[in-house]
Amino acid sequence: MKRIIMADDHAVVSTGLQLILNQTIDLRLVDKTKNGEDLLEKLHQNRYDLVLLDISMPGKDALDVLKEIKVTWPSLPVAIFTMNPDESFSSRMFLNGAAAYINKETHPDQIINILRALLRGEKYKTHRQQELLNEYTINHSGNPVKEHETLTDREYQVLHLLAQGVKKGDIANSLSVSKHTVSNHRNNILKKLNLSGNSDLTRYALQHGIIS
């Protein structure tokens, strides 16, 4: 029986997936956490075969959690689980070690098939995700890039959160940095994207599919 742990702060989602997996003979959701800090603590305490990681949770940012998992448990497959249909963040997740980037509206049978593939050591990408990854990789090989692709991972995280209207203090708590650091990242983002404020930033994010 393969042991799966899930970090997701929506009880309906985690409970629903647990019911789905319990109908299989080979997969079990044996642990659920509501944030990245608790997930990392459980990973240190127990053995799991696969991690399901929500992209939007309170506390530690999902990308930072993913990076930490891949440093400490490099062979442990991590599937990103998200409600956001936009896939523009998928490339950064794949490049930082994610094995799959799954929309929560995916059919349960397909989710099960994807998880089984990951447990066999495979990776899963949709055709669109592969296209975005190819484009991202090509653009970072010396060709002209879109402005937001020049952002660091941290700046992209801050952009994503600011564009969703998350307050500076909440972003600081989520990323475990100071408000001053968040302000510096915001200033760098505005400079790199040639924008004047948060309203322009949100408009840019919508236009480029960073948020929907």
Side-chain angles (χ1 to χ4, degrees):
M1 189 73 65
K2 297 299 184 181
R3 294 168 51 85
I4 299 172
I5 184 171
M6 182 177 194
D8 194 306
D9 61 327
H10 295 94
V12 172
V13 173
S14 58
T15 301
L17 185 64
Q18 187 170 35
L19 291 172
I20 291 168
L21 295 182
N22 283 351
Q23 296 177 30
T24 70
I25 62 172
D26 56 332
L27 306 176
R28 286 293 182 273
L29 185 60
V30 296
D31 257 326
K32 297 181 287 185
T33 72
K34 294 183 178 180
N35 57 64
E37 291 90 344
D38 289 346
L39 170 66
L40 292 168
E41 183 177 345
K42 283 185 176 292
L43 288 176
H44 280 288
Q45 296 172 348
N46 304 288
R47 181 193 63 79
Y48 303 97
D49 299 297
L50 187 146
V51 175
L52 281 169
L53 179 62
D54 185 16
I55 201 170
S56 300
M57 295 180 297
K60 198 175 184 71
D61 182 80
L63 183 56
D64 289 336
V65 174
L66 171 63
K67 289 179 178 179
E68 189 164 337
I69 291 173
K70 299 314 293 184
V71 168
T72 309
W73 303 276
S75 62
L76 181 63
V78 180
I80 304 301
F81 214 42
T82 177
M83 279 293 293
N84 193 338
D86 169 55
E87 297 181 315
S88 61
F89 206 17
S90 63
S91 296
R92 291 177 186 261
M93 289 296 187
F94 283 124
L95 290 173
N96 280 287
Y101 189 92
I102 307 170
N103 190 294
K104 291 179 181 178
E105 294 184 356
T106 303
H107 191 280
D109 289 345
Q110 187 177 0
I111 292 176
I112 290 171
N113 289 335
I114 293 171
L115 298 185
R116 284 173 174 158
L118 303 189
L119 289 163
R120 292 193 300 267
E122 302 173 18
K123 292 193 175 183
Y124 174 85
K125 302 180 189 72
T126 65
H127 180 70
R128 177 58 178 158
Q129 289 167 1
Q130 187 63 62
E131 283 184 337
L132 288 169
L133 183 58
N134 292 343
E135 179 181 338
Y136 187 93
T137 303
I138 291 171
N139 285 342
H140 285 73
S141 298
N143 294 329
V145 300
K146 298 174 183 177
E147 289 91 341
H148 59 271
E149 291 177 347
T150 66
L151 301 178
T152 66
D153 282 344
R154 180 66 88 202
E155 289 168 349
Y156 192 90
Q157 289 172 284
V158 173
L159 165 63
H160 196 265
L161 293 168
L162 285 173
Q164 295 178 82
V166 180
K167 295 181 180 179
K168 190 186 301 182
D170 292 333
I171 294 175
N173 291 334
S174 173
L175 302 181
S176 300
V177 298
S178 68
K179 289 184 181 179
H180 178 70
T181 299
V182 174
S183 294
N184 285 340
H185 286 314
R186 176 184 176 274
N187 291 337
N188 289 338
I189 293 165
L190 294 176
K191 183 177 180 180
K192 288 182 179 181
L193 303 185
N194 194 27
L195 302 174
S196 59
N198 282 9
S199 59
D200 284 349
L201 190 152
T202 300
R203 190 178 304 112
Y204 180 97
L206 287 166
Q207 289 173 346
H208 291 83
I210 297 170
I211 62 171
S212 58

